[in-house]
Amino acid sequence: MEGKLLEMFEVGPCEDDYQLGFLIGQRFCNQIRSRLAGDLILQNQLLPFARTPHAQPLLKALSETNQKKFPRYWAELLGTADGSGVPVLDIILVNFRKEILPFISKTTMNSNADTTDDCSDVLIVGDSMAVAAHNEDANVALVGHTYLIKGKLSNGLSFIAYTYAGELPSCAFGLNSQGLAFTLNSVPPVEDEIVPAGIGRNFVSRDLLEATSTADALAPDKPQRIRSSEVSVGHSYNLIDIQKRMILNVETASKSRVSVHEVGTTPFFHANMYLHLQVQQVHDENSISRQKRAAVLPQGSKTDFLSLLGDTEDTKYPIYMTGPTLYTLCTTVIDLDERTLTIIEGNPKYGKVSHVFSMSSNELNLKLVNHAEGTHL
């Protein structure tokens, strides 16, 4: 299955956050409408649930909590809905998918129920290289329904975010003009670990795009970012600080629980299970299998990392996914020494590059790539 060429939209500075979202929604209205129409989790689970009386208190509380905490990003969300001409409810539901699905009765879930977004990362900070490599895996319905946003804010900050159609930038990976980048991994806490109507992960990662450093992202006096005490479900954040040549893996859970692991000379592979934060979690055979497979593969070079992320030896739970349910949308490689973020489409072991962004200046310039033939790492 092949998606369309990944498009990038440069937007801003805008009059306000609503206009930013409106312009994004307007530019990608076709992708957003197509994604929503074909998203079986939205159509078969979230929308039917949203029409029940049981759902109303949860949706109302989610909306009020996140609008109060993040009024700018809430306006951006509303603008995206209006710009794309789709119901606001649909945009709210896809942005809060992970916060809502745990509260849908299991008896109403069918075979189209949500599957964990099974991303994989391999990270290292050594003497000879400092690299974060990430597979962006998602439901196959997202193929052809992603885009890049290059946003410029009125305060002078710029960011680039890989964005799922209709969602806030970015639930996947991004970078900004302050030399901070991040990739994300879903983690599966059990139901008892989830706080209803808390802060949504999409809002936390949108705010990360405006952090100035790892210290800023983790600052205890900025609880709206990673250390939010009000998050509904947990997440794993890989924070990449170009200026400090540092990578941190940060695992979070509800009730202010945070664990930080600084990546060093030993390669660090993270799939979709908590590795160092003590949290009761769902037994995810897919993630466990990928973790075991990564442990026996070479990890001595960037080429090894790409081969690892392109591995399909385990046909049931491959690291590089090609359906029928989960699909590797792309791979990104962030090189802290070269100061570049590279996006690879297709199996990363073949190294076909679609985009390379320079992090050496505040402009986040896109380097020239021959899209017809591809550039190879």
mmCIF file of all heavy atoms in Angstrom, residues 35 41 46 58 62 92-104 113-119 137-139 164 167 171 185-189 194-202 231-235 272 284 326:
data_model
loop_
_atom_site.group_PDB
_atom_site.id
_atom_site.type_symbol
_atom_site.label_atom_id
_atom_site.label_comp_id
_atom_site.label_asym_id
_atom_site.label_seq_id
_atom_site.Cartn_x
_atom_site.Cartn_y
_atom_site.Cartn_z
ATOM 1 N N ARG A 35 -10.196 11.053 5.961
ATOM 2 C CA ARG A 35 -9.765 10.307 7.152
ATOM 3 C C ARG A 35 -10.958 10.023 8.062
ATOM 4 O O ARG A 35 -11.140 8.891 8.547
ATOM 5 C CB ARG A 35 -8.688 11.093 7.907
ATOM 6 C CG ARG A 35 -8.129 10.350 9.165
ATOM 7 C CD ARG A 35 -8.757 10.866 10.435
ATOM 8 N NE ARG A 35 -8.439 10.063 11.608
ATOM 9 C CZ ARG A 35 -7.610 10.408 12.575
ATOM 10 N NH1 ARG A 35 -6.988 11.580 12.495
ATOM 11 N NH2 ARG A 35 -7.423 9.626 13.621
ATOM 12 N N ILE A 41 -12.666 3.369 13.759
ATOM 13 C CA ILE A 41 -12.726 3.588 15.203
ATOM 14 C C ILE A 41 -13.656 4.763 15.503
ATOM 15 O O ILE A 41 -14.471 4.711 16.428
ATOM 16 C CB ILE A 41 -11.317 3.844 15.767
ATOM 17 C CG1 ILE A 41 -10.445 2.595 15.591
ATOM 18 C CG2 ILE A 41 -11.385 4.240 17.240
ATOM 19 C CD1 ILE A 41 -8.974 2.833 15.853
ATOM 20 N N LEU A 46 -16.453 5.583 18.482
ATOM 21 C CA LEU A 46 -16.515 6.886 19.150
ATOM 22 C C LEU A 46 -17.834 7.610 18.901
ATOM 23 O O LEU A 46 -18.443 8.139 19.844
ATOM 24 C CB LEU A 46 -15.333 7.750 18.702
ATOM 25 C CG LEU A 46 -13.947 7.229 19.098
ATOM 26 C CD1 LEU A 46 -12.854 8.063 18.430
ATOM 27 C CD2 LEU A 46 -13.771 7.256 20.621
ATOM 28 N N LEU A 58 -18.655 12.786 30.300
ATOM 29 C CA LEU A 58 -17.238 12.618 29.984
ATOM 30 C C LEU A 58 -16.798 13.608 28.915
ATOM 31 O O LEU A 58 -15.760 14.290 29.070
ATOM 32 C CB LEU A 58 -16.963 11.187 29.519
ATOM 33 C CG LEU A 58 -15.531 10.901 29.050
ATOM 34 C CD1 LEU A 58 -14.535 11.094 30.191
ATOM 35 C CD2 LEU A 58 -15.414 9.485 28.473
ATOM 36 N N LEU A 62 -14.115 16.574 29.529
ATOM 37 C CA LEU A 62 -12.887 16.597 28.721
ATOM 38 C C LEU A 62 -12.725 17.936 28.020
ATOM 39 O O LEU A 62 -11.647 18.537 28.025
ATOM 40 C CB LEU A 62 -12.915 15.472 27.687
ATOM 41 C CG LEU A 62 -12.270 14.137 28.023
ATOM 42 C CD1 LEU A 62 -12.531 13.133 26.902
ATOM 43 C CD2 LEU A 62 -10.764 14.281 28.251
ATOM 44 N N ILE A 92 -13.166 16.690 17.900
ATOM 45 C CA ILE A 92 -12.954 16.447 19.329
ATOM 46 C C ILE A 92 -12.717 14.965 19.593
ATOM 47 O O ILE A 92 -11.799 14.584 20.331
ATOM 48 C CB ILE A 92 -14.163 16.961 20.136
ATOM 49 C CG1 ILE A 92 -14.195 18.488 20.138
ATOM 50 C CG2 ILE A 92 -14.129 16.435 21.575
ATOM 51 C CD1 ILE A 92 -15.428 19.088 20.777
ATOM 52 N N LEU A 93 -13.502 14.117 18.975
ATOM 53 C CA LEU A 93 -13.405 12.674 19.230
ATOM 54 C C LEU A 93 -12.077 12.094 18.765
ATOM 55 O O LEU A 93 -11.477 11.279 19.476
ATOM 56 C CB LEU A 93 -14.569 11.948 18.564
ATOM 57 C CG LEU A 93 -15.962 12.217 19.154
ATOM 58 C CD1 LEU A 93 -17.034 11.534 18.327
ATOM 59 C CD2 LEU A 93 -16.030 11.766 20.603
ATOM 60 N N VAL A 94 -11.579 12.493 17.596
ATOM 61 C CA VAL A 94 -10.306 11.912 17.143
ATOM 62 C C VAL A 94 -9.136 12.452 17.962
ATOM 63 O O VAL A 94 -8.144 11.744 18.176
ATOM 64 C CB VAL A 94 -10.062 12.132 15.630
ATOM 65 C CG1 VAL A 94 -11.088 11.381 14.801
ATOM 66 C CG2 VAL A 94 -10.018 13.599 15.255
ATOM 67 N N ASN A 95 -9.263 13.672 18.448
ATOM 68 C CA ASN A 95 -8.187 14.226 19.272
ATOM 69 C C ASN A 95 -8.162 13.629 20.678
ATOM 70 O O ASN A 95 -7.106 13.575 21.309
ATOM 71 C CB ASN A 95 -8.293 15.747 19.340
ATOM 72 C CG ASN A 95 -7.633 16.441 18.164
ATOM 73 O OD1 ASN A 95 -6.421 16.650 18.153
ATOM 74 N ND2 ASN A 95 -8.424 16.773 17.152
ATOM 75 N N PHE A 96 -9.312 13.174 21.163
ATOM 76 C CA PHE A 96 -9.393 12.560 22.495
ATOM 77 C C PHE A 96 -9.628 11.054 22.417
ATOM 78 O O PHE A 96 -10.102 10.449 23.383
ATOM 79 C CB PHE A 96 -10.516 13.200 23.310
ATOM 80 C CG PHE A 96 -10.240 14.603 23.754
ATOM 81 C CD1 PHE A 96 -11.079 15.636 23.384
ATOM 82 C CD2 PHE A 96 -9.145 14.898 24.565
ATOM 83 C CE1 PHE A 96 -10.845 16.934 23.802
ATOM 84 C CE2 PHE A 96 -8.895 16.195 24.987
ATOM 85 C CZ PHE A 96 -9.745 17.220 24.602
ATOM 86 N N ARG A 97 -9.279 10.457 21.296
ATOM 87 C CA ARG A 97 -9.547 9.030 21.104
ATOM 88 C C ARG A 97 -9.026 8.187 22.264
ATOM 89 O O ARG A 97 -9.724 7.344 22.813
ATOM 90 C CB ARG A 97 -8.896 8.581 19.781
ATOM 91 C CG ARG A 97 -8.948 7.100 19.508
ATOM 92 C CD ARG A 97 -8.460 6.826 18.089
ATOM 93 N NE ARG A 97 -7.135 7.392 17.866
ATOM 94 C CZ ARG A 97 -5.998 6.700 17.949
ATOM 95 N NH1 ARG A 97 -6.032 5.422 18.282
ATOM 96 N NH2 ARG A 97 -4.840 7.275 17.712
ATOM 97 N N LYS A 98 -7.768 8.411 22.651
ATOM 98 C CA LYS A 98 -7.152 7.588 23.692
ATOM 99 C C LYS A 98 -7.753 7.849 25.073
ATOM 100 O O LYS A 98 -7.692 6.993 25.953
ATOM 101 C CB LYS A 98 -5.642 7.842 23.737
ATOM 102 C CG LYS A 98 -4.887 7.303 22.530
ATOM 103 C CD LYS A 98 -4.911 5.794 22.496
ATOM 104 C CE LYS A 98 -4.067 5.254 21.354
ATOM 105 N NZ LYS A 98 -4.068 3.774 21.330
ATOM 106 N N GLU A 99 -8.299 9.038 25.257
ATOM 107 C CA GLU A 99 -8.891 9.375 26.545
ATOM 108 C C GLU A 99 -10.336 8.892 26.665
ATOM 109 O O GLU A 99 -10.889 8.840 27.765
ATOM 110 C CB GLU A 99 -8.834 10.893 26.768
ATOM 111 C CG GLU A 99 -7.447 11.433 27.058
ATOM 112 C CD GLU A 99 -6.539 11.513 25.838
ATOM 113 O OE1 GLU A 99 -7.069 11.603 24.709
ATOM 114 O OE2 GLU A 99 -5.310 11.491 26.012
ATOM 115 N N ILE A 100 -10.975 8.561 25.525
ATOM 116 C CA ILE A 100 -12.373 8.153 25.529
ATOM 117 C C ILE A 100 -12.540 6.639 25.443
ATOM 118 O O ILE A 100 -13.370 6.051 26.160
ATOM 119 C CB ILE A 100 -13.127 8.825 24.354
ATOM 120 C CG1 ILE A 100 -13.142 10.345 24.531
ATOM 121 C CG2 ILE A 100 -14.548 8.287 24.237
ATOM 122 C CD1 ILE A 100 -13.686 11.093 23.324
ATOM 123 N N LEU A 101 -11.758 5.989 24.610
ATOM 124 C CA LEU A 101 -11.956 4.561 24.353
ATOM 125 C C LEU A 101 -11.950 3.677 25.599
ATOM 126 O O LEU A 101 -12.729 2.724 25.667
ATOM 127 C CB LEU A 101 -10.917 4.057 23.342
ATOM 128 C CG LEU A 101 -11.197 4.437 21.890
ATOM 129 C CD1 LEU A 101 -9.996 4.142 21.007
ATOM 130 C CD2 LEU A 101 -12.429 3.717 21.361
ATOM 131 N N PRO A 102 -11.117 3.960 26.598
ATOM 132 C CA PRO A 102 -11.160 3.097 27.789
ATOM 133 C C PRO A 102 -12.511 3.095 28.504
ATOM 134 O O PRO A 102 -12.791 2.174 29.278
ATOM 135 C CB PRO A 102 -10.072 3.694 28.690
ATOM 136 C CG PRO A 102 -9.129 4.378 27.757
ATOM 137 C CD PRO A 102 -10.006 4.938 26.687
ATOM 138 N N PHE A 103 -13.348 4.089 28.250
ATOM 139 C CA PHE A 103 -14.613 4.203 28.960
ATOM 140 C C PHE A 103 -15.806 3.739 28.129
ATOM 141 O O PHE A 103 -16.950 3.859 28.549
ATOM 142 C CB PHE A 103 -14.811 5.645 29.425
ATOM 143 C CG PHE A 103 -13.715 6.095 30.355
ATOM 144 C CD1 PHE A 103 -12.652 6.860 29.878
ATOM 145 C CD2 PHE A 103 -13.715 5.703 31.677
ATOM 146 C CE1 PHE A 103 -11.632 7.246 30.723
ATOM 147 C CE2 PHE A 103 -12.696 6.088 32.530
ATOM 148 C CZ PHE A 103 -11.646 6.857 32.054
ATOM 149 N N ILE A 104 -15.503 3.200 26.938
ATOM 150 C CA ILE A 104 -16.559 2.587 26.137
ATOM 151 C C ILE A 104 -16.715 1.143 26.601
ATOM 152 O O ILE A 104 -15.741 0.398 26.693
ATOM 153 C CB ILE A 104 -16.228 2.644 24.636
ATOM 154 C CG1 ILE A 104 -16.109 4.105 24.180
ATOM 155 C CG2 ILE A 104 -17.294 1.922 23.822
ATOM 156 C CD1 ILE A 104 -15.763 4.256 22.714
ATOM 157 N N ALA A 113 -12.265 -2.297 17.112
ATOM 158 C CA ALA A 113 -11.822 -1.544 18.286
ATOM 159 C C ALA A 113 -10.393 -1.084 18.126
ATOM 160 O O ALA A 113 -9.622 -1.621 17.336
ATOM 161 C CB ALA A 113 -11.964 -2.408 19.533
ATOM 162 N N ASP A 114 -10.044 -0.089 18.910
ATOM 163 C CA ASP A 114 -8.732 0.537 18.806
ATOM 164 C C ASP A 114 -7.604 -0.443 19.087
ATOM 165 O O ASP A 114 -7.695 -1.298 19.952
ATOM 166 C CB ASP A 114 -8.648 1.692 19.800
ATOM 167 C CG ASP A 114 -7.348 2.460 19.687
ATOM 168 O OD1 ASP A 114 -6.924 2.720 18.556
ATOM 169 O OD2 ASP A 114 -6.762 2.790 20.735
ATOM 170 N N THR A 115 -6.550 -0.317 18.319
ATOM 171 C CA THR A 115 -5.315 -1.049 18.556
ATOM 172 C C THR A 115 -4.252 -0.031 18.918
ATOM 173 O O THR A 115 -4.180 1.043 18.332
ATOM 174 C CB THR A 115 -4.886 -1.815 17.288
ATOM 175 O OG1 THR A 115 -5.952 -2.693 16.894
ATOM 176 C CG2 THR A 115 -3.654 -2.647 17.544
ATOM 177 N N THR A 116 -3.430 -0.377 19.887
ATOM 178 C CA THR A 116 -2.383 0.536 20.322
ATOM 179 C C THR A 116 -1.566 1.019 19.127
ATOM 180 O O THR A 116 -1.243 0.254 18.231
ATOM 181 C CB THR A 116 -1.460 -0.168 21.324
ATOM 182 O OG1 THR A 116 -2.236 -0.567 22.445
ATOM 183 C CG2 THR A 116 -0.357 0.756 21.791
ATOM 184 N N ASP A 117 -1.238 2.313 19.117
ATOM 185 C CA ASP A 117 -0.364 2.861 18.091
ATOM 186 C C ASP A 117 1.037 2.355 18.380
ATOM 187 O O ASP A 117 1.730 2.858 19.258
ATOM 188 C CB ASP A 117 -0.405 4.390 18.126
ATOM 189 C CG ASP A 117 -1.816 4.913 17.887
ATOM 190 O OD1 ASP A 117 -2.550 4.278 17.127
ATOM 191 O OD2 ASP A 117 -2.165 5.948 18.468
ATOM 192 N N ASP A 118 1.466 1.343 17.642
ATOM 193 C CA ASP A 118 2.676 0.604 18.018
ATOM 194 C C ASP A 118 3.929 1.197 17.395
ATOM 195 O O ASP A 118 4.513 0.612 16.485
ATOM 196 C CB ASP A 118 2.527 -0.867 17.616
ATOM 197 C CG ASP A 118 1.532 -1.583 18.504
ATOM 198 O OD1 ASP A 118 1.623 -1.415 19.719
ATOM 199 O OD2 ASP A 118 0.679 -2.297 17.974
ATOM 200 N N CYS A 119 4.365 2.337 17.891
ATOM 201 C CA CYS A 119 5.592 2.958 17.412
ATOM 202 C C CYS A 119 6.819 2.304 18.050
ATOM 203 O O CYS A 119 6.739 1.742 19.138
ATOM 204 C CB CYS A 119 5.588 4.451 17.717
ATOM 205 S SG CYS A 119 4.228 5.335 16.930
ATOM 206 N N ASP A 137 3.982 4.285 13.585
ATOM 207 C CA ASP A 137 3.027 3.233 13.260
ATOM 208 C C ASP A 137 1.634 3.652 13.697
ATOM 209 O O ASP A 137 1.454 4.232 14.768
ATOM 210 C CB ASP A 137 3.398 1.929 13.970
ATOM 211 C CG ASP A 137 4.836 1.498 13.707
ATOM 212 O OD1 ASP A 137 5.281 1.650 12.554
ATOM 213 O OD2 ASP A 137 5.493 1.024 14.642
ATOM 214 N N ALA A 138 0.642 3.331 12.873
ATOM 215 C CA ALA A 138 -0.731 3.709 13.201
ATOM 216 C C ALA A 138 -1.690 2.778 12.480
ATOM 217 O O ALA A 138 -1.281 1.922 11.686
ATOM 218 C CB ALA A 138 -0.997 5.161 12.804
ATOM 219 N N ASN A 139 -2.964 2.981 12.756
ATOM 220 C CA ASN A 139 -3.981 2.225 12.056
ATOM 221 C C ASN A 139 -3.859 2.460 10.558
ATOM 222 O O ASN A 139 -3.562 3.565 10.105
ATOM 223 C CB ASN A 139 -5.370 2.650 12.555
ATOM 224 C CG ASN A 139 -6.469 1.752 12.026
ATOM 225 O OD1 ASN A 139 -6.849 1.848 10.864
ATOM 226 N ND2 ASN A 139 -6.983 0.883 12.882
ATOM 227 N N TYR A 164 -1.469 13.984 12.013
ATOM 228 C CA TYR A 164 -2.580 13.158 11.545
ATOM 229 C C TYR A 164 -3.731 14.093 11.144
ATOM 230 O O TYR A 164 -4.045 15.038 11.865
ATOM 231 C CB TYR A 164 -3.077 12.234 12.646
ATOM 232 C CG TYR A 164 -2.139 11.098 13.025
ATOM 233 C CD1 TYR A 164 -0.842 10.999 12.523
ATOM 234 C CD2 TYR A 164 -2.563 10.113 13.905
ATOM 235 C CE1 TYR A 164 -0.006 9.961 12.880
ATOM 236 C CE2 TYR A 164 -1.742 9.059 14.278
ATOM 237 C CZ TYR A 164 -0.453 8.993 13.761
ATOM 238 O OH TYR A 164 0.374 7.952 14.132
ATOM 239 N N GLU A 167 -6.104 16.256 13.497
ATOM 240 C CA GLU A 167 -5.604 16.316 14.866
ATOM 241 C C GLU A 167 -4.643 17.492 15.035
ATOM 242 O O GLU A 167 -4.095 18.021 14.080
ATOM 243 C CB GLU A 167 -4.919 15.001 15.241
ATOM 244 C CG GLU A 167 -5.873 13.808 15.180
ATOM 245 C CD GLU A 167 -5.304 12.546 15.785
ATOM 246 O OE1 GLU A 167 -4.518 12.631 16.748
ATOM 247 O OE2 GLU A 167 -5.649 11.453 15.281
ATOM 248 N N CYS A 171 0.820 14.437 17.296
ATOM 249 C CA CYS A 171 0.745 13.245 18.128
ATOM 250 C C CYS A 171 1.789 12.223 17.712
ATOM 251 O O CYS A 171 1.751 11.070 18.148
ATOM 252 C CB CYS A 171 -0.646 12.631 18.048
ATOM 253 S SG CYS A 171 -1.060 11.956 16.430
ATOM 254 N N ASN A 185 5.753 7.572 21.979
ATOM 255 C CA ASN A 185 5.353 6.169 22.009
ATOM 256 C C ASN A 185 4.140 6.020 22.916
ATOM 257 O O ASN A 185 4.172 6.438 24.073
ATOM 258 C CB ASN A 185 6.460 5.261 22.550
ATOM 259 C CG ASN A 185 7.760 5.395 21.805
ATOM 260 O OD1 ASN A 185 8.625 6.145 22.225
ATOM 261 N ND2 ASN A 185 7.910 4.676 20.717
ATOM 262 N N SER A 186 3.104 5.396 22.400
ATOM 263 C CA SER A 186 1.959 5.072 23.232
ATOM 264 C C SER A 186 2.348 3.993 24.239
ATOM 265 O O SER A 186 3.182 3.137 23.964
ATOM 266 C CB SER A 186 0.816 4.560 22.343
ATOM 267 O OG SER A 186 -0.275 4.136 23.108
ATOM 268 N N VAL A 187 1.775 4.057 25.438
ATOM 269 C CA VAL A 187 1.961 3.024 26.464
ATOM 270 C C VAL A 187 0.584 2.654 27.015
ATOM 271 O O VAL A 187 -0.324 3.493 27.044
ATOM 272 C CB VAL A 187 2.898 3.499 27.600
ATOM 273 C CG1 VAL A 187 4.345 3.494 27.130
ATOM 274 C CG2 VAL A 187 2.512 4.876 28.105
ATOM 275 N N PRO A 188 0.407 1.392 27.472
ATOM 276 C CA PRO A 188 -0.947 0.902 27.794
ATOM 277 C C PRO A 188 -1.219 0.670 29.280
ATOM 278 O O PRO A 188 -1.200 -0.469 29.753
ATOM 279 C CB PRO A 188 -0.975 -0.429 27.039
ATOM 280 C CG PRO A 188 0.446 -0.940 27.181
ATOM 281 C CD PRO A 188 1.345 0.276 27.282
ATOM 282 N N PRO A 189 -1.484 1.711 30.062
ATOM 283 C CA PRO A 189 -1.863 1.479 31.456
ATOM 284 C C PRO A 189 -3.196 0.742 31.539
ATOM 285 O O PRO A 189 -4.041 0.865 30.641
ATOM 286 C CB PRO A 189 -1.972 2.895 32.027
ATOM 287 C CG PRO A 189 -2.295 3.757 30.837
ATOM 288 C CD PRO A 189 -1.565 3.136 29.684
ATOM 289 N N ILE A 194 -6.205 4.965 34.714
ATOM 290 C CA ILE A 194 -6.653 6.062 33.859
ATOM 291 C C ILE A 194 -7.601 6.979 34.622
ATOM 292 O O ILE A 194 -8.529 6.522 35.289
ATOM 293 C CB ILE A 194 -7.340 5.503 32.594
ATOM 294 C CG1 ILE A 194 -6.350 4.627 31.801
ATOM 295 C CG2 ILE A 194 -7.872 6.630 31.721
ATOM 296 C CD1 ILE A 194 -6.994 3.854 30.666
ATOM 297 N N VAL A 195 -7.360 8.271 34.531
ATOM 298 C CA VAL A 195 -8.210 9.274 35.188
ATOM 299 C C VAL A 195 -9.167 9.855 34.148
ATOM 300 O O VAL A 195 -8.722 10.415 33.135
ATOM 301 C CB VAL A 195 -7.354 10.399 35.805
ATOM 302 C CG1 VAL A 195 -8.243 11.505 36.366
ATOM 303 C CG2 VAL A 195 -6.439 9.841 36.885
ATOM 304 N N PRO A 196 -10.462 9.729 34.370
ATOM 305 C CA PRO A 196 -11.405 10.248 33.369
ATOM 306 C C PRO A 196 -11.368 11.767 33.278
ATOM 307 O O PRO A 196 -11.127 12.461 34.272
ATOM 308 C CB PRO A 196 -12.764 9.759 33.893
ATOM 309 C CG PRO A 196 -12.559 9.516 35.354
ATOM 310 C CD PRO A 196 -11.135 9.080 35.503
ATOM 311 N N ALA A 197 -11.572 12.251 32.065
ATOM 312 C CA ALA A 197 -11.719 13.692 31.804
ATOM 313 C C ALA A 197 -10.497 14.506 32.188
ATOM 314 O O ALA A 197 -10.589 15.656 32.587
ATOM 315 C CB ALA A 197 -12.956 14.238 32.515
ATOM 316 N N GLY A 198 -9.310 13.913 32.030
ATOM 317 C CA GLY A 198 -8.086 14.647 32.297
ATOM 318 C C GLY A 198 -7.565 15.345 31.056
ATOM 319 O O GLY A 198 -8.250 15.463 30.034
ATOM 320 N N ILE A 199 -6.320 15.826 31.145
ATOM 321 C CA ILE A 199 -5.684 16.497 30.015
ATOM 322 C C ILE A 199 -5.371 15.469 28.931
ATOM 323 O O ILE A 199 -4.874 14.381 29.192
ATOM 324 C CB ILE A 199 -4.388 17.200 30.468
ATOM 325 C CG1 ILE A 199 -4.725 18.334 31.443
ATOM 326 C CG2 ILE A 199 -3.598 17.733 29.274
ATOM 327 C CD1 ILE A 199 -5.573 19.433 30.842
ATOM 328 N N GLY A 200 -5.667 15.828 27.693
ATOM 329 C CA GLY A 200 -5.424 14.947 26.563
ATOM 330 C C GLY A 200 -3.978 14.980 26.104
ATOM 331 O O GLY A 200 -3.333 16.028 26.117
ATOM 332 N N ARG A 201 -3.477 13.831 25.673
ATOM 333 C CA ARG A 201 -2.085 13.754 25.233
ATOM 334 C C ARG A 201 -1.812 14.623 24.006
ATOM 335 O O ARG A 201 -0.714 15.144 23.843
ATOM 336 C CB ARG A 201 -1.705 12.296 24.952
ATOM 337 C CG ARG A 201 -1.647 11.449 26.208
ATOM 338 C CD ARG A 201 -1.247 10.027 25.917
ATOM 339 N NE ARG A 201 -2.133 9.416 24.938
ATOM 340 C CZ ARG A 201 -1.972 8.186 24.462
ATOM 341 N NH1 ARG A 201 -0.960 7.454 24.869
ATOM 342 N NH2 ARG A 201 -2.828 7.695 23.582
ATOM 343 N N ASN A 202 -2.804 14.775 23.128
ATOM 344 C CA ASN A 202 -2.589 15.622 21.956
ATOM 345 C C ASN A 202 -2.330 17.073 22.350
ATOM 346 O O ASN A 202 -1.594 17.794 21.661
ATOM 347 C CB ASN A 202 -3.795 15.552 21.016
ATOM 348 C CG ASN A 202 -3.752 14.334 20.115
ATOM 349 O OD1 ASN A 202 -2.998 13.384 20.365
ATOM 350 N ND2 ASN A 202 -4.557 14.341 19.069
ATOM 351 N N VAL A 231 -3.127 14.634 33.571
ATOM 352 C CA VAL A 231 -3.277 13.820 32.362
ATOM 353 C C VAL A 231 -4.205 12.645 32.638
ATOM 354 O O VAL A 231 -4.273 12.114 33.749
ATOM 355 C CB VAL A 231 -1.917 13.308 31.836
ATOM 356 C CG1 VAL A 231 -1.070 14.451 31.353
ATOM 357 C CG2 VAL A 231 -1.209 12.462 32.868
ATOM 358 N N SER A 232 -4.915 12.245 31.604
ATOM 359 C CA SER A 232 -5.847 11.142 31.728
ATOM 360 C C SER A 232 -5.132 9.798 31.602
ATOM 361 O O SER A 232 -5.325 8.904 32.428
ATOM 362 C CB SER A 232 -6.931 11.252 30.640
ATOM 363 O OG SER A 232 -7.854 10.196 30.732
ATOM 364 N N VAL A 233 -4.310 9.663 30.572
ATOM 365 C CA VAL A 233 -3.561 8.429 30.334
ATOM 366 C C VAL A 233 -2.082 8.749 30.157
ATOM 367 O O VAL A 233 -1.709 9.890 29.902
ATOM 368 C CB VAL A 233 -4.086 7.681 29.089
ATOM 369 C CG1 VAL A 233 -5.480 7.172 29.336
ATOM 370 C CG2 VAL A 233 -4.074 8.577 27.859
ATOM 371 N N GLY A 234 -1.237 7.749 30.272
ATOM 372 C CA GLY A 234 0.203 7.966 30.204
ATOM 373 C C GLY A 234 0.732 8.027 28.783
ATOM 374 O O GLY A 234 0.010 7.818 27.813
ATOM 375 N N HIS A 235 2.029 8.309 28.706
ATOM 376 C CA HIS A 235 2.689 8.400 27.406
ATOM 377 C C HIS A 235 4.191 8.240 27.614
ATOM 378 O O HIS A 235 4.695 8.350 28.743
ATOM 379 C CB HIS A 235 2.393 9.755 26.765
ATOM 380 C CG HIS A 235 2.206 9.706 25.279
ATOM 381 N ND1 HIS A 235 1.841 8.554 24.608
ATOM 382 C CD2 HIS A 235 2.331 10.649 24.315
ATOM 383 C CE1 HIS A 235 1.731 8.822 23.311
ATOM 384 N NE2 HIS A 235 2.039 10.087 23.112
ATOM 385 N N ASN A 272 6.128 -0.181 23.099
ATOM 386 C CA ASN A 272 4.905 0.381 23.664
ATOM 387 C C ASN A 272 4.537 -0.227 25.014
ATOM 388 O O ASN A 272 3.376 -0.470 25.318
ATOM 389 C CB ASN A 272 3.751 0.218 22.675
ATOM 390 C CG ASN A 272 4.050 0.910 21.365
ATOM 391 O OD1 ASN A 272 4.489 0.264 20.424
ATOM 392 N ND2 ASN A 272 3.854 2.209 21.323
ATOM 393 N N ASP A 284 1.045 -6.372 26.357
ATOM 394 C CA ASP A 284 0.989 -6.152 24.908
ATOM 395 C C ASP A 284 1.985 -7.073 24.218
ATOM 396 O O ASP A 284 3.186 -6.793 24.171
ATOM 397 C CB ASP A 284 1.285 -4.678 24.612
ATOM 398 C CG ASP A 284 1.250 -4.371 23.117
ATOM 399 O OD1 ASP A 284 0.713 -5.193 22.353
ATOM 400 O OD2 ASP A 284 1.767 -3.311 22.720
ATOM 401 N N LEU A 326 -2.200 -2.540 11.405
ATOM 402 C CA LEU A 326 -1.208 -1.511 11.699
ATOM 403 C C LEU A 326 -0.240 -1.343 10.537
ATOM 404 O O LEU A 326 0.107 -2.310 9.846
ATOM 405 C CB LEU A 326 -0.444 -1.866 12.968
ATOM 406 C CG LEU A 326 -1.267 -1.780 14.267
ATOM 407 C CD1 LEU A 326 -0.542 -2.471 15.408
ATOM 408 C CD2 LEU A 326 -1.554 -0.321 14.620
#
